[in-house]
């Protein structure tokens, strides 16, 4: 199939825009490749330090005759998605030893759970944790004793942070190893209904707790299609997972086989062999375009509009939100996974999953087929499904058709003709909206603003019965410079209650929403943010706003708003408590949301 012209044009635009940065990046990677791992050039004392804890592998390491695999892990048992990683290092060491090499845990990276910190001060560290993870992984690999690496990560900021680090060490081959989703529990729509009932005072906390525990009940990734599972999709579309690895359940024979094979594959791609394939060759402009196509086609998390920009910049690739918007106009929405439907990722996987999604998008000419991947050249590898047959891991041709067209459809017969995300712009600034779960009748809201400077004030106004009639709820001073750009997902039940009462309601914020943002239209990531004197800082209660996801408009309709002086605001409460004081430097140096909200390169 001929490549779609818009996809080709956007790709060429990115290549041209990125050329100076990309050329410089690839030159640095070529230099690092030429130098090679430095362990052979370390002093005897340095090498002894590096090998002292390696047990039976010490002799092999000291001889320097075999490949050494670095393991960067985000294991902790605070995150259900990351708890299965506890077993991975020993699995990997044993497998690599049997293959004639060695493997060492290079280091660990922090990994926080956004589900725990939603609506709490700790959420103000969440976005910044991505760059901390990248730096921690950089420290882990800085010993320069590895021929290849595997990265163990799943959740919201963890995978983007690890990708940033992998690109910084882009001369090394790398494979990303997931853990898989937890078994399906209480249906996501039932969980959401109980949350709304609690917000409206229709059930008590015991009922809410019972529902939450039934939904989040075991090891593995949360099963809705939020940022964590969007990350897993991206790693397949961009060629850093083994094909079909994303949604295999944890602690199963197939999952263990994929973990072992992924580790062996990473080392086989090192410069010691004939198939040298470093990360810098895989994550090129075409790979990032394929990732954006996957994001649009599956209705993925809005968080990736920030993360993909930051990830790409590390590899010398300049993405902007217009690229996302233009791709969205030609990529159909082919998946319905909660909150964009009733199914969870286990149902999606059973319906044909990422293998079928990639297959139908390739057939429609919407993906670059000729990308380099850890599975070999060509994205067609990712149309295959892994199977364990007589104890052997094999890949077989995937589903030739959707096995449930209520969840997954061909690109020729999609749920909607355009992608799941939209760029908005106008006199209020630039923002983005996740459209895939917003009903068409809710996509245009013209209503007076009610302005807040924190999410707790929104909840208090709701409880006091103040949010009546049509309303655009504005929550400002939530950008990266103000307080680290927390997710405002805890507002979702309140806003859905208002919408359920028949009110026209929208959210406008310079903060983020969760990857699970749903039925209420939310113009998020608004730039310039309030602390950068963006127009959002000049709004007052009653100003008429238009949030139009159809025409892509974010407009102030009341005259004279942008001529107002900006009232001073006290943000000292954001500076201390729950570790926030440790991140003052991040708030002072972070870039804007549309440039990736990163502290790197600003």
């Amino acid at each position: 199939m001929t490549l779609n012209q818009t996809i080709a044009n956007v790709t060429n635009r990115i290549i041209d825009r990125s050329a100076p940065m990309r050329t410089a990046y690839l030159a640095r990677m070529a230099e690092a490749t030429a130098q090679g791992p430095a362990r052979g050039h370390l002093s005897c004392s340095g090498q002894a330090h590096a090998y002292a804890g390696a047990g039976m592998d010490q002799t092999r390491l000291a001889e320097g005759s075999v490949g050494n695999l670095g393991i960067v892990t985000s294991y902790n048992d605070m995150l259900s998605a990351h708890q299965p990683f506890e077993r991975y290092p020993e699995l990997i060491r044993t497998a690599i030893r049997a293959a004639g090499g060695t493997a060492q845990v290079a280091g660990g990276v922090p990994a926080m759970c956004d589900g725990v910190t939603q609506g709490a001060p700790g959420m103000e560290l969440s976005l910044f944790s991505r760059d901390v993870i990248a730096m921690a992984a950089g420290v882990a690999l800085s010993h320069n004793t590895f021929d290849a690496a595997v990265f163990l990560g799943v959740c919201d900021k963890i995978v983007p942070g690890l990708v940033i680090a992998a690109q910084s060490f882009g001369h090394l081959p790398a494979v990303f190893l997931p853990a898989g989703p937890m078994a399906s529990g209480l249906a996501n729509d039932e969980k959401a209904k109980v949350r709304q009932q609690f917000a409206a005072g229709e059930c008590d906390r015991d009922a809410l707790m019972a529902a939450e525990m039934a939904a989040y009940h075991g090891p593995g990734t949360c099963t809705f299609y939020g940022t964590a599972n969007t990350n897993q999709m991206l790693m397949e579309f961009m060629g850093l997972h083994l094909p079909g690895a994303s949604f295999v359940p944890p602690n199963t024979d197939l999952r263990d086989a994929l973990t072992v094979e992924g580790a062996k594959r990473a080392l086989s791609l090192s410069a010691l062999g004939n198939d040298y394939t470093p990360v810098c060759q895989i994550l090129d402009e075409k790979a990032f375009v394929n990732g954006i196509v996957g994001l649009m086609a599956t209705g993925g998390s809005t968080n990736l509009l920030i993360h993909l920009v930051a990830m790409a910049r590390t590899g010398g690739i300049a993405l902007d939100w217009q690229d996302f918007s233009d791709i969205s106009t030609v990529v159909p929405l082919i998946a319905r996974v909660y909150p964009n439907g009733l199914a969870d990722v286990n149902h999606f996987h059973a319906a044909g999953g990422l293998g079928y999604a990639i297959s139908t998008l390739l057939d429609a000419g919407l993906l670059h087929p000729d990308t380099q991947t850890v599975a070999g050249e060509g994205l067609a590898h990712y149309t295959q499904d892994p199977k364990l047959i007589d104890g052997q891991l094999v890949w077989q041709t995937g589903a030739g058709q959707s096995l449930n067209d209520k969840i997954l459809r061909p690109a020729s017969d999609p749920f909607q003709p355009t992608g799941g995300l939209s760029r908005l712009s106008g006199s209020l600034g630039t923002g983005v909206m996740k459209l895939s779960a917003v009903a068409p009748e809710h996509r245009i809201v013209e209503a007076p603003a009610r302005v807040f400077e924190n999410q707790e004030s929104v909840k208090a106004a709701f409880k006091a019965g103040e949010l009546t009639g049509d309303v655009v709820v504005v929550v400002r001073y939530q950008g990266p410079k103000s307080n680290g750009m927390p997710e405002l997902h805890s507002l979702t039940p309140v806003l859905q209650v208002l919408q359920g009462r028949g009110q026209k309601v929208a959210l406008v914020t310079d903060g983020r929403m969760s990857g699970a943002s749903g039925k209420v239209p939310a113009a998020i990531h608004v730039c310039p943010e309030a602390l950068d004197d963006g127009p959002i800082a000049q709004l007052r209660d009653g100003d008429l706003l238009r949030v139009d996801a159809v025409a892509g408009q974010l407009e102030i309709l009341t005259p004279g708003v942008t001529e107002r002086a900006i009232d001073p605001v006290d943000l000292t409460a954001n500076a201390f408590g729950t570790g926030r004081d440790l991140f003052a430097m991040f708030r002072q140096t972070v870039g804007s949301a549309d440039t990736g909200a990163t502290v790197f390169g600003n």
Side-chain angles (χ1 to χ4, degrees):
M1 176 65 69
T2 303
L3 186 68
N4 177 277
Q5 192 59 53
T6 296
I7 300 298
N9 290 344
V10 172
T11 305
N12 290 333
R13 184 172 76 203
I14 294 169
I15 291 172
D16 291 343
R17 182 195 306 139
S18 307
M21 290 194 305
R22 183 68 176 169
T23 299
Y25 169 77
L26 291 175
R28 293 195 301 273
M29 295 304 104
E31 182 180 357
T33 299
Q35 293 176 353
R39 63 180 178 273
H41 307 291
L42 290 173
S43 68
C44 291
S45 175
Q47 291 192 59
H49 276 88
Y51 313 149
M56 68 179 71
D57 294 323
Q58 279 183 289
T59 301
R60 282 182 177 178
L61 285 164
E63 290 173 351
S65 58
V66 299
N68 190 30
L69 180 70
I71 304 168
V72 179
T73 178
S74 56
Y75 161 73
N76 66 47
D77 52 20
M78 265 293 298
L79 278 75
S80 62
H82 290 214
Q83 187 279 331
F85 289 144
E86 183 175 19
R87 300 173 51 246
Y88 278 32
E90 191 53 40
L91 276 175
I92 292 167
R93 277 191 292 262
T94 300
I96 294 299
R97 192 177 292 132
T102 58
Q104 296 176 285
V105 174
V109 303
M112 64 182 290
C113 180
D114 289 359
V116 174
T117 58
Q118 284 290 350
M123 174 52 75
E124 295 178 18
L125 308 187
S126 175
L127 181 57
F128 290 149
S129 76
R130 179 197 65 197
D131 291 4
V132 173
I133 288 160
M135 291 187 285
V139 171
L141 295 175
S142 67
H143 300 98
N144 198 21
T145 61
F146 303 108
D147 299 287
V150 289
F151 292 90
L152 316 185
V154 174
C155 287
D156 295 25
K157 262 56 65 187
I158 295 91
V159 166
L162 292 175
V163 170
I164 289 171
Q167 293 223 94
S168 181
F169 288 80
H171 62 290
L172 293 178
V175 174
F176 278 60
L177 302 178
M182 71 174 68
S184 301
L186 179 70
N188 285 297
D189 59 325
E190 290 298 319
K191 173 194 66 182
K193 185 184 299 181
V194 176
R195 286 180 177 177
Q196 292 175 47
Q197 290 170 343
F198 180 76
E202 296 171 1
C203 73
D204 61 17
R205 185 168 290 277
D206 287 344
L208 177 64
M209 189 67 184
E212 298 289 355
M213 292 293 285
Y216 306 113
H217 59 88
T221 317
C222 304
T223 59
F224 60 85
Y225 196 48
T227 309
N229 286 317
T230 303
N231 286 338
Q232 305 316 296
M233 175 276 297
L234 286 171
M235 291 301 93
E236 292 211 27
F237 272 74
M238 296 173 71
L240 288 176
H241 272 179
L242 292 181
S246 294
F247 300 134
V248 174
N251 302 318
T252 60
D253 291 342
L254 180 56
R255 168 56 67 203
D256 286 355
L258 285 164
T259 299
V260 165
E261 181 61 27
K264 293 194 294 187
R265 183 64 179 163
L267 201 53
S268 76
L269 298 176
S270 78
L272 298 174
N274 297 321
D275 296 319
Y276 178 51
T277 310
V279 167
C280 64
Q281 289 182 11
I282 291 175
L283 293 183
D284 62 6
E285 296 89 344
K286 290 181 179 180
F288 276 96
V289 168
N290 282 353
I292 297 171
V293 170
L295 182 68
M296 299 303 170
T298 59
S301 168
T302 53
N303 281 325
L304 271 301
L305 278 93
I306 294 175
H307 296 324
L308 277 165
V309 172
M311 290 154 61
R313 284 182 66 182
T314 315
I317 297 170
L319 301 180
D320 64 36
W321 286 349
Q322 191 60 51
D323 301 326
F324 291 76
S325 183
D326 290 350
I327 289 173
S328 183
T329 64
V330 297
V331 174
L333 181 70
I334 62 172
R336 288 280 192 206
V337 188
Y338 187 85
N340 172 33
L342 298 181
D344 67 21
V345 294
N346 293 315
H347 305 137
F348 169 76
H349 188 62
L354 294 176
Y356 177 72
I358 290 171
S359 176
T360 189
L361 292 167
L362 280 170
D363 289 346
L366 293 167
L367 289 169
H368 290 283
D370 55 345
T371 53
Q372 187 62 257
T373 78
V374 298
E377 187 173 352
L379 197 59
H381 289 288
Y382 290 79
T383 65
Q384 298 180 317
D385 293 334
K387 305 287 184 184
L388 202 58
I389 299 177
D390 297 329
Q392 298 297 311
L393 180 64
V394 298
W395 274 266
Q396 297 181 340
T397 301
Q401 60 184 19
S402 170
L403 303 180
N404 188 332
D405 64 6
K406 302 293 190 298
I407 300 171
L408 184 59
R409 288 187 180 177
S412 58
D413 182 27
F415 293 103
Q416 66 182 45
T418 56
L421 297 169
S422 177
R423 177 178 180 268
L424 311 178
S425 63
S427 54
L428 189 48
T430 300
V432 295
M433 182 184 293
K434 182 173 180 176
L435 283 177
S436 51
V438 179
E441 63 269 23
H442 296 312
R443 293 181 179 181
I444 301 174
V445 177
E446 188 173 299
R450 183 68 194 275
V451 182
F452 303 90
E453 293 177 357
N454 58 68
Q455 54 189 318
E456 293 307 316
S457 298
V458 180
K459 297 174 189 177
F462 171 78
K463 289 179 180 177
E466 298 175 9
L467 300 179
T468 58
D470 297 344
V471 62
V472 176
V473 174
V474 177
V475 189
R476 63 191 180 190
Y477 294 101
Q478 304 299 305
K481 293 182 180 179
S482 296
N483 64 349
M485 206 179 187
E487 291 182 350
L488 307 179
H489 183 50
S490 66
L491 295 181
T492 299
V494 167
L495 299 176
Q496 288 182 340
V497 168
L498 298 179
Q499 188 183 69
R501 291 173 179 170
Q503 297 170 233
K504 284 191 174 183
V505 58
L507 174 69
V508 172
T509 181
D510 50 7
R512 296 182 295 132
M513 286 293 282
S514 164
S517 58
K519 300 177 182 178
V520 175
I524 60 177
H525 308 174
V526 172
C527 296
E529 66 170 288
L531 201 60
D532 275 340
D533 298 337
I536 193 173
Q538 296 168 297
L539 294 176
R540 295 176 184 166
D541 288 350
D543 289 338
L544 191 62
L545 304 181
R546 181 177 179 85
V547 180
D548 185 343
V550 178
Q553 296 175 344
L554 189 57
E555 300 286 357
I556 304 169
L557 302 182
T558 298
V561 170
T562 57
E563 298 169 12
R564 294 173 184 160
I566 296 174
D567 295 331
V569 61
D570 182 4
L571 298 178
T572 55
N574 301 338
F576 299 97
T578 325
R580 288 179 288 182
D581 50 311
L582 303 175
F583 284 77
M585 181 180 67
F586 280 62
R587 292 189 293 273
Q588 293 163 9
T589 58
V590 69
S592 60
D594 56 353
T595 60
T598 177
V599 299
F600 303 134
N602 295 311

